[in-house]
Amino acid sequence: MGVKYQDYYKLLGIERSASEKEIRNAYRKLARESHPDLQPKEKKKEAEEKFKLINEAYEVLKDPEKRKLYDRFGADWKHGEDFSAQQQQWNTEHRSSTHSFDFGSESGGSGFSDFFEAMFGQAFRDRGAGDFQRAGGFQRPRRPRKGMDVTAELEVTLEEIFFGEEKQFQISMQDLCGVCGGTGVQENSFCSGCGGTGHTNNIKTLKIKVPKDAREGKKIRLKGQGGEAEPGAQRGDLYLKLKIKPHSVYKLKGNDLEADLLVQPWQAVLGDRISAPTLEGSVRVKIPPRTHSGHKMRLRGKGMPKKDGSRGDYYLKVVVDIPQEVTSQEEELYRKLSEINH
Ligand SMILES: [Zn+2]
């Protein structure tokens, strides 16, 4: 039986020195261009053969181990010669190696060329259900690719963190087209489901519980909610990078919170008890007599929850407020104040 040598490099239109990336790119381009479903009916059979060979070439060249074997074997091979001439020598030389080759045997129903079968068939059989067989034989000789991990920014409020609230959000995600399964083609034309891209964009609604110790930039992993995968493989993961929405009252500094506390001039001078806001409702705080503007009062343990369950502190910064409007009686009193200070 004569087996024709297949020049996988030529098939993919690449140099023998091509990098893994070049191989992958060449394969993707060719696989797209020569998909049998895109060819006219009379050329379909021929296209199917070619498509098969392209997949086979990629199956070998993308795998460094197989590629090495192939390169060694093909180094002194002239394109177009009969494979059988070399079989004996190859067989003798490599019988003791880890791979054994069953030349001249039946070419199994794998859908690969006789050449591939002769070269790699036995090696695959030795491994039992090799990865390409598990993945469905020729139809999908490559191991289906897992989806990419995706990072998205999610804005949360201080309150959502403080109370560990559940947050619902929507995210636009690409999915493999359900109509064509990602190939982009249907019969002889572009897929009606995706317009030929192989993907569809879907809005997904997801929910997370905001961790109480979440801070700016914290990443939350949602397993299997990331980029689409090829059929049979897992989706990637979604990483949510938290961004804290600026709050109108509170500033977050590490685990501490800070807020301004407006105080009237006479309260600052004479002292008073006034109401101050906190995330859990208002509290009464004591303004000591002669309090300066900018003075900070610490409310211990009233800040943000920490990882260990304790809490940071809450600082109230005194801002002496100047009334925008004063009554004539008040103005009179300020005038008196002014006079006795001259
Ligand atoms: Zn489609």
Side-chain angles (χ1 to χ4, degrees):
M1 164 185 134
V3 179
K4 199 175 170 195
Y5 172 73
Q6 299 290 350
D7 189 336
Y8 291 148
Y9 292 98
K10 206 171 158 190
L11 265 165
L12 294 183
I14 49 174
E15 300 288 323
R16 295 192 87 82
S17 56
S19 67
E20 281 179 37
K21 197 177 163 202
E22 285 168 334
I23 294 169
R24 194 166 60 240
N25 289 342
Y27 164 74
R28 284 193 185 155
K29 188 163 170 281
L30 272 174
R32 252 198 323 271
E33 287 170 2
S34 50
H35 198 287
D37 288 351
L38 287 174
Q39 313 302 323
K41 268 210 168 67
E42 63 274 15
K43 285 199 175 163
K44 210 159 178 169
K45 183 108 187 75
E46 192 189 323
E48 267 167 16
E49 282 305 310
K50 193 178 174 211
F51 191 65
K52 213 158 89 172
L53 282 174
I54 289 166
N55 275 283
E56 179 179 306
Y58 183 60
E59 171 68 27
V60 171
L61 295 185
K62 70 161 184 174
D63 180 330
E65 200 191 330
K66 282 193 218 129
R67 187 182 177 187
K68 220 165 102 188
L69 266 169
Y70 175 80
D71 285 347
R72 262 162 73 193
F73 165 77
D76 52 4
W77 191 270
K78 289 191 201 75
H79 179 66
E81 274 189 37
D82 230 21
F83 188 52
S84 47
Q86 295 281 89
Q87 282 177 11
Q88 201 50 49
Q89 196 193 346
W90 173 259
N91 223 0
T92 314
E93 278 175 18
H94 295 88
R95 180 147 282 165
S96 58
S97 75
T98 49
H99 297 271
S100 67
F101 296 90
D102 180 19
F103 294 108
S105 71
E106 82 294 338
S107 69
S110 72
F112 287 82
S113 73
D114 291 343
F115 171 76
F116 182 94
E117 266 296 310
M119 188 151 194
F120 299 102
Q122 186 61 39
F124 274 116
R125 275 192 281 279
D126 285 350
R127 275 203 239 158
D131 51 2
F132 85 106
Q133 284 169 333
R134 255 203 307 277
F138 161 70
Q139 289 305 322
R140 196 158 286 278
R142 296 176 293 109
R143 185 196 294 274
R145 206 168 300 131
K146 181 181 182 280
M148 299 240 289
D149 290 343
V150 181
T151 302
E153 204 167 69
L154 181 67
E155 196 175 60
V156 291
T157 64
L158 266 186
E159 283 89 349
E160 283 166 340
I161 299 172
F162 188 88
F163 295 106
E165 282 172 20
E166 219 168 53
K167 187 173 178 74
Q168 214 176 44
F169 59 96
Q170 291 188 319
I171 192 157
S172 167
M173 203 100 66
Q174 269 201 344
D175 285 307
L176 274 187
C177 172
V179 179
C180 64
T183 60
V185 283
Q186 238 188 332
E187 298 298 327
N188 284 331
S189 59
F190 290 121
C191 168
S192 58
C194 60
T197 61
H199 312 283
T200 51
N201 277 312
N202 298 309
I203 306 277
K204 251 197 218 178
T205 302
L206 297 172
K207 221 170 18 180
I208 58 158
K209 190 170 171 4
V210 182
K212 284 189 172 191
D213 64 335
R215 295 294 180 266
E216 182 81 23
K218 183 183 174 76
K219 280 189 177 177
I220 296 172
R221 178 176 176 229
L222 277 79
K223 204 167 179 291
Q225 301 284 5
E228 61 178 354
E230 291 180 348
Q234 256 201 330
R235 284 194 85 103
D237 298 332
L238 170 64
Y239 286 91
L240 290 173
K241 195 174 167 199
L242 298 188
K243 188 174 164 49
I244 301 176
K245 192 178 176 187
H247 198 280
S248 59
V249 176
Y250 308 101
K251 276 202 271 300
L252 178 63
K253 293 184 173 176
N255 296 313
D256 299 334
L257 288 172
E258 198 181 295
D260 285 347
L261 183 66
L262 294 186
V263 171
Q264 300 305 309
W266 57 92
Q267 292 175 312
V269 175
L270 306 173
D272 202 355
R273 288 185 80 86
I274 62 172
S275 171
T278 76
L279 279 167
E280 306 148 278
S282 59
V283 291
R284 301 289 289 179
V285 290
K286 186 173 174 243
I287 308 294
R290 329 287 186 258
T291 295
H292 286 240
S293 195
H295 173 74
K296 281 184 186 176
M297 296 187 294
R298 180 164 79 164
L299 277 67
R300 198 186 288 270
K302 290 283 179 194
M304 292 298 281
K306 294 196 237 178
K307 207 171 188 145
D308 64 5
S310 66
R311 285 174 59 183
D313 299 330
Y314 178 35
Y315 290 90
L316 285 166
K317 189 176 149 200
V318 171
V319 175
V320 176
D321 198 22
I322 304 303
Q324 294 296 301
E325 287 173 25
V326 286
T327 61
S328 55
Q329 192 189 1
E330 283 167 337
E331 184 152 342
E332 187 58 28
L333 290 170
Y334 278 112
R335 230 177 269 285
K336 275 186 188 156
L337 260 180
S338 174
E339 278 161 18
I340 58 174
N341 280 296
H342 269 100

